[in-house]
Amino acid sequence: MIGLLATSFACEDGYIDEIQPKPAGVDEMPPEVTINFPEEGPLTWVPDEVMSINIDFEVMDDIEIQDIIVTLDGEGIGSYADFKDYRNAFIQLPYDNLTNGDHTLTVTANDLSGKTTTSTVEFEKPENYVPLYEGEIFYMPFDDQYLELVSVSEASIVGNPGFAGESASGANAYAGATDSYLTFPTTNLTNDAFSASLWYKVDADPNRAGILVIGPPDEANPDAQNNRTAGFRLFREAAGSNQRIKLNVGNGGGENWFDGGAAADINPSSGEWVHIAITISGTECAVYLNGEPVSQGTYPGISWEGCDIMSIGSGAPRFSGWGHLSDNSYIDELRIFNKALTQTEVQTILDNEQP
C-alpha cells in the first residue's frame, strides 16, 4: 500500500512524465538527415583489404518519417519503414564488406507528405596508413599486432611479449614481459630532430627498465652494453614508491641528462595511463608527462653514430649495463616524428588520443 501511495503521489506531482498524444498538425518541413559516421575524408587505416564499419546516422521530421533508404556507391544496403518514434530515428547499420578506395554513402529520408532529404558523405578506406600529424614517420597502434603502419613493417620480436587486454586509445596495447621486447632498424628514424609520443601504464616490477632506446654498440663492454655517447635512452627507475622517467642523450663527445626529479614521477599504484613525449632538436631536449614539461634544457646536439637498432619495451640490447632491461609495463600509440614537437603539438596528440 505504501508503494502504491508513493507512486500515485509522484504522478500527481509531476515527477513521472506520461506520454501525451500530439496532434499531427501541418507538415511544413522536410526531414533532417545527419550522418555521424563515417565522416568526410579517409578512415583510420587498417591493414585488412576488407573491413567492417558501423554506419551511424539520424533522421528527424516535424510530423512523421515514412521511410529511409541507405546506399553505398549506388547500391542499396539498408532500408527502414517501421519506427518506434515516428519523428526521430537513430540508426546504426553494420556493414562488413568495405574495400580499399573511395566510397559514397547516401541516406535518403522521405516523410508522409512526400518531402525528401538526401545526405551524402564521400570517404575513403585508404590502402596505406595516412600520417595524422606533420612530421610523423612511425606509428604503432599495437592493435593486436606489432605492425608499424607508415612503413607497413613488422617488429622483430625478442622473447614473448603480449597484449594488455586494454588500451589507452585503440584496441589492445603492448604488454611487456620478462626478457621480452621489440626492435626495429633505425632506417629513416635518425634525423636532425626527433620526437616520440606514447602512452604508458607503468608496472613497477622490475624496479627499473628501458622504455624506448636508440643507442650505439659498446665494444668495450660487450656483455654490459652502456655506450651513451650517441642516440638516446628513455627509461625509468624507482624513486621511493614511484617510478621516475629519465632521458639520456648522447652528443658525440659525451652525454646530457634530462631528469625532472619528482616532477617526472609516476605512481604505479594509480593504475592510470600516462602520456609521455620526448623532443630532441639540434639545441634542446624536453620530456613531457601528460602534456607538461618535466625536464628540458639545452645541449650540443645529438649524435647518431652507430645507432642502427631501436628497442621498444627494454634497454636491451644497447643499454643493459645498469640493469635497464625488459619492462613489464603497457605501451600504446607509439609515434615518432622527424621534428621537435612543440608543447602545443604534444597537447594536441594527447587530446586526440585521450583515454
Side-chain angles (χ1 to χ4, degrees):
M1 178 63 70
I2 294 175
L4 290 174
L5 288 173
T7 301
S8 176
F9 178 82
C11 289
E12 289 175 0
D13 277 20
Y15 293 116
I16 297 178
D17 293 330
E18 295 182 356
I19 297 175
Q20 299 290 339
K22 181 178 180 180
V26 178
D27 192 330
E28 298 177 346
M29 304 296 294
E32 296 180 13
V33 178
T34 303
I35 300 175
N36 300 314
F37 184 84
E39 298 177 336
E40 295 277 347
L43 299 174
T44 299
W45 183 80
V46 297
D48 306 303
E49 292 187 2
V50 178
M51 70 180 291
S52 299
I53 61 172
N54 281 323
I55 297 166
D56 185 306
F57 63 92
E58 53 193 83
V59 176
M60 300 182 183
D61 190 67
D62 57 344
I63 299 300
E64 183 170 350
I65 304 166
Q66 177 175 281
D67 56 39
I68 302 170
I69 298 171
V70 185
T71 65
L72 184 65
D73 302 329
E75 296 187 7
I77 60 172
S79 61
Y80 305 87
D82 185 16
F83 309 102
K84 291 182 178 180
D85 182 343
Y86 49 81
R87 290 187 176 89
N88 304 286
F90 302 91
I91 296 173
Q92 285 197 341
L93 171 60
Y95 184 75
D96 59 5
N97 193 35
L98 190 70
T99 56
N100 290 337
D102 296 327
H103 299 280
T104 301
L105 174 72
T106 300
V107 178
T108 300
N110 301 292
D111 67 15
L112 286 182
S113 68
K115 295 183 179 68
T116 298
T117 299
T118 297
S119 182
T120 298
V121 168
E122 294 182 353
F123 67 101
E124 176 191 3
K125 180 189 179 302
E127 186 173 354
N128 300 302
Y129 170 70
V130 179
L132 298 181
Y133 305 99
E134 179 185 352
E136 182 184 348
I137 57 174
F138 181 103
Y139 173 45
M140 292 190 75
F142 297 109
D143 290 342
D144 296 302
Q145 55 190 341
Y146 304 126
L147 181 68
E148 195 283 303
L149 301 191
V150 177
S151 64
V152 195
S153 57
E154 295 277 356
S156 296
I157 302 171
V158 177
N160 295 286
F163 294 98
E166 62 175 272
S167 67
S169 178
N172 207 351
Y174 170 89
T178 302
D179 298 327
S180 302
Y181 55 96
L182 307 176
T183 68
F184 276 94
T186 59
T187 305
N188 298 323
L189 299 182
T190 52
N191 299 290
D192 292 339
F194 180 100
S195 296
S197 166
L198 59 96
W199 288 92
Y200 190 64
K201 189 172 185 178
V202 66
D203 185 331
D205 183 22
N207 69 353
R208 60 177 52 205
I211 301 171
L212 186 69
V213 171
I214 297 179
D218 190 344
E219 297 177 357
N221 300 286
D223 297 325
Q225 296 280 302
N226 201 1
N227 182 355
R228 305 184 305 282
T229 61
F232 72 88
R233 288 137 291 277
L234 177 66
F235 60 99
R236 63 174 175 82
E237 292 180 342
S241 59
N242 293 326
Q243 284 287 316
R244 184 163 297 171
I245 303 300
K246 299 183 178 183
L247 175 67
N248 172 274
V249 182
N251 58 46
E255 59 186 315
N256 293 88
W257 287 88
F258 300 90
D259 180 348
D265 286 358
I266 300 174
N267 181 0
S269 66
S270 71
E272 295 179 352
W273 286 96
V274 174
H275 185 265
I276 300 176
I278 61 171
T279 64
I280 300 172
S281 74
T283 58
E284 187 172 290
C285 297
V287 180
Y288 297 85
L289 293 189
N290 288 333
E292 295 297 326
V294 296
S295 180
Q296 58 189 144
T298 59
Y299 82 122
I302 192 168
S303 168
W304 295 112
E305 181 71 27
C307 297
D308 58 346
I309 296 173
M310 178 173 70
S311 301
I312 302 169
S314 180
R318 296 286 173 79
F319 183 48
S320 59
W322 289 343
H324 298 95
L325 299 172
S326 55
D327 190 353
N328 292 334
S329 304
Y330 298 165
I331 300 173
D332 204 14
E333 298 293 314
L334 172 60
R335 300 180 193 268
I336 293 174
F337 302 82
N338 61 6
K339 59 174 288 185
L341 297 173
T342 65
Q343 183 178 6
T344 298
E345 290 172 319
V346 170
Q347 187 65 51
T348 296
I349 297 169
L350 189 162
D351 291 341
N352 290 344
E353 297 176 345
Q354 189 71 39

